[in-house]
Amino acid sequence: MQGRAELLIVGAGVIGAGAALALARSGHDVLVVDRNSGVGDGSTGASAGIIRVHASDAQSSALAHDALVAWTGWREFLGADASEDLARFVRCGSLVLDAGNGFVGQAAAAMTMAGVTFEKWSLDQMSGHFPYFDFHRFGPPRPVQDEAFWEEPSEFLAGGLYTPQSGYVGDPTLAAVNLMRAAQRAGARLRLSAAVGSIDRERDRVVGVTLTDGTVLRAAAVLVVAGPHTDALLRGIGATSDFRVRTRRMREELIHIASPPGLDLALQGVHLVDGDLNINFRPERGDAFLGGSNGDLADEQTIIEDPDRFDRHVTATAWERTTLRMARRIPDLGIPRARSGVVGLYDAAEDWLPIYDRTCVDGLFVAMATSGTQFKTAPIVGELLRHVIESELDGKDHTTIPFASPFSARTYSTAQFSRLRAPREQQSRG
């Protein structure tokens, strides 16, 4: 029985752990394997942990809003006792600056359609709440080596959107650990330091996996949630042959920098989405900021082919670009000599929407392209994946059956996350 399970999940990040919890609670025999030595040690550990409700489309905004129910009642959602160390959701709000690129209007329309509360703020309102920001218009985003980057601005931003219910989880890895422990309490099994060498199939159906050490694991169904390694595992057996959405592995650098002296981020901090300078950042423990790129500029993206080979150190280029852009928005920000931050590899789709679907191989399912955007939805995505898997194993097309939210009266179509969708236009990472 140790080498056999009804459902085998490859990947113990926050999405894999969330799926394990939902499936185990539904009565399935679940075995989770991960190549790393700890839960959440991959892309999850390099996440900024942002819990935001704004998005480019209504369904993504609604999913995030539903997931907030779990994040704000984390201990109750997990069924954890008082002795367990839990990740903590910190409410700080999100302020999305109107950079004049159309995103604010798109996000406002999406949240309105989703029934998500937000506020439209004027320049005076933004300045009154956050006087330490310089709300001049510095964009469009330019390289810091460009002389125009240093020109004195003459215009101000028009305003922005504020969502007071948003926030962050300062320890994303611990959140994944919490989910996995809850899954284990529900009966799921976990095997770490177990790298999958191949997915095994017989004719058109999956039968399990073989680990790199030769161990054979058999299962009636397999869910691959292996982050940047997912694509290679699927391509190895031709399971991506009908995908219409391309994915890529993006190297992501998050910069850690101290806030100006005298600024109390516990009271004055906010998650700032700054399309004018192509950055976003949030408060970090110890009166600091954690921030990076918005990811929308192709010439500032670093695409990695081999997920096992990439530079895991903060580069001088990213450090200079991010800190100098932040210093334009925060004039009193001091830039230290020593570079500090977190580097990870993100798995993302060309339209920034995830793929939650079956594959052309019967019994083989996938959750991919979630890095950098879906940490916030992990508690509800676990249930959505349960819906996908149970529907398909019952011989039904999951895209034709509405997914009912466990946190509200909302229902969702899983067709938006299909591998067969045409890439959505005008989608943004947010």
Side-chain angles (χ1 to χ4, degrees):
M1 290 299 295
Q2 291 301 312
R4 183 174 297 276
E6 178 195 0
L7 297 174
L8 177 66
I9 298 178
V10 181
V14 72
I15 300 294
L21 175 58
L23 288 162
R25 281 180 171 173
S26 190
H28 296 284
D29 171 36
V30 178
L31 172 62
V32 183
V33 298
D34 195 284
R35 64 189 289 117
N36 295 306
S37 59
V39 171
D41 279 357
S43 298
T44 295
S47 168
I50 301 296
I51 311 294
R52 57 174 172 82
V53 294
H54 70 269
S56 299
D57 65 277
Q59 182 154 285
S60 295
S61 179
L63 275 171
H65 189 256
D66 273 350
L68 262 177
V69 176
W71 290 116
T72 54
W74 195 230
R75 192 173 297 277
E76 294 77 13
F77 170 71
L78 297 170
D81 62 35
S83 65
E84 185 172 348
D85 183 23
L86 298 184
R88 186 169 68 95
F89 169 70
V90 180
R91 191 187 306 275
C92 64
S94 291
L95 177 61
V96 186
L97 301 182
D98 187 353
N101 56 11
F103 178 70
V104 158
Q106 188 178 10
M111 287 189 285
T112 299
M113 186 176 296
V116 174
T117 301
F118 66 94
E119 301 170 15
K120 290 185 177 180
W121 278 11
S122 66
L123 172 63
D124 287 343
Q125 286 174 299
M126 295 194 306
S127 299
H129 281 88
F130 305 109
Y132 59 94
F133 287 142
D134 180 346
F135 287 112
H136 273 99
R137 183 182 298 279
F138 298 103
R142 300 179 179 90
V144 296
Q145 296 81 11
D146 188 334
E147 290 185 4
F149 177 82
W150 301 101
E151 291 178 356
E152 288 301 316
S154 58
E155 300 179 3
F156 285 92
L157 297 170
L161 300 180
Y162 181 67
T163 54
Q165 64 272 55
S166 301
Y168 65 93
V169 170
D171 192 340
T173 299
L174 181 57
V177 170
N178 295 156
L179 285 166
M180 189 60 72
R181 285 177 178 166
Q184 289 175 291
R185 287 194 294 271
R189 290 172 285 149
L190 173 65
R191 184 167 179 170
L192 297 172
S193 300
V196 173
S198 66
I199 299 173
D200 303 331
R201 61 185 288 184
E202 291 181 1
R203 297 185 177 88
D204 293 327
R205 184 161 194 88
V206 72
V207 294
V209 304
T210 299
L211 305 182
T212 53
D213 65 3
T215 301
V216 175
L217 302 176
R218 289 293 170 249
V222 175
L223 169 64
V224 184
V225 202
H229 292 86
T230 299
D231 182 69
L233 286 172
L234 296 179
R235 278 191 290 107
I237 59 168
T240 59
S241 60
D242 62 349
F243 277 44
R244 296 181 64 189
V245 184
R246 295 176 299 170
T247 62
R248 58 233 167 125
R249 286 142 298 285
M250 300 174 60
R251 185 178 177 278
E252 184 78 4
E253 300 186 50
L254 296 176
I255 303 303
H256 184 274
I257 185 169
S259 63
L263 181 61
D264 187 351
L265 291 183
L267 296 175
Q268 297 175 281
V270 69
H271 167 226
L272 188 75
V273 182
D274 189 347
D276 184 55
L277 286 165
N278 191 43
I279 54 174
N280 76 92
F281 52 89
R282 64 161 176 82
E284 179 67 311
R285 292 167 294 184
D287 290 328
F289 296 107
L290 184 72
S293 168
N294 284 351
D296 292 329
L297 300 182
D299 59 350
E300 294 182 6
Q301 297 173 356
T302 302
I303 308 300
I304 303 295
E305 293 300 323
D306 184 349
D308 291 319
R309 299 183 63 184
F310 67 97
D311 186 355
R312 299 176 185 271
H313 298 91
V314 175
T315 62
T317 299
W319 174 262
E320 181 182 63
R321 179 176 62 223
T322 305
T323 55
L324 290 178
R325 285 176 174 174
M326 288 178 65
R328 296 243 73 180
R329 190 64 68 202
I330 311 171
D332 292 335
L333 187 71
I335 301 176
R337 293 179 180 271
R339 301 194 293 269
S340 176
V342 180
V343 178
L345 196 60
Y346 283 6
D347 176 37
E350 59 185 302
D351 59 3
W352 289 110
L353 285 173
I355 300 172
Y356 304 132
D357 202 357
R358 60 162 291 161
T359 68
C360 60
V361 179
D362 287 341
L364 180 60
F365 300 88
V366 63
M368 65 189 301
T370 62
S371 305
T373 61
Q374 299 307 311
F375 176 88
K376 62 186 183 294
T377 60
I380 193 171
V381 163
E383 292 290 342
L384 187 151
L385 289 168
R386 178 194 56 77
H387 166 83
V388 169
I389 293 170
E390 290 181 341
S391 298
E392 293 290 335
L393 292 181
D394 198 31
K396 301 172 183 176
D397 179 357
H398 70 87
T399 64
T400 66
I401 306 171
F403 163 62
S405 169
F407 303 120
S408 73
R410 292 183 175 111
T411 58
Y412 297 90
S413 169
T414 56
Q416 174 166 309
F417 309 119
S418 170
R419 74 195 190 281
L420 304 177
R421 70 175 185 264
R424 293 276 295 262
E425 296 183 358
Q426 297 182 327
Q427 282 288 130
S428 170
R429 179 172 166 181

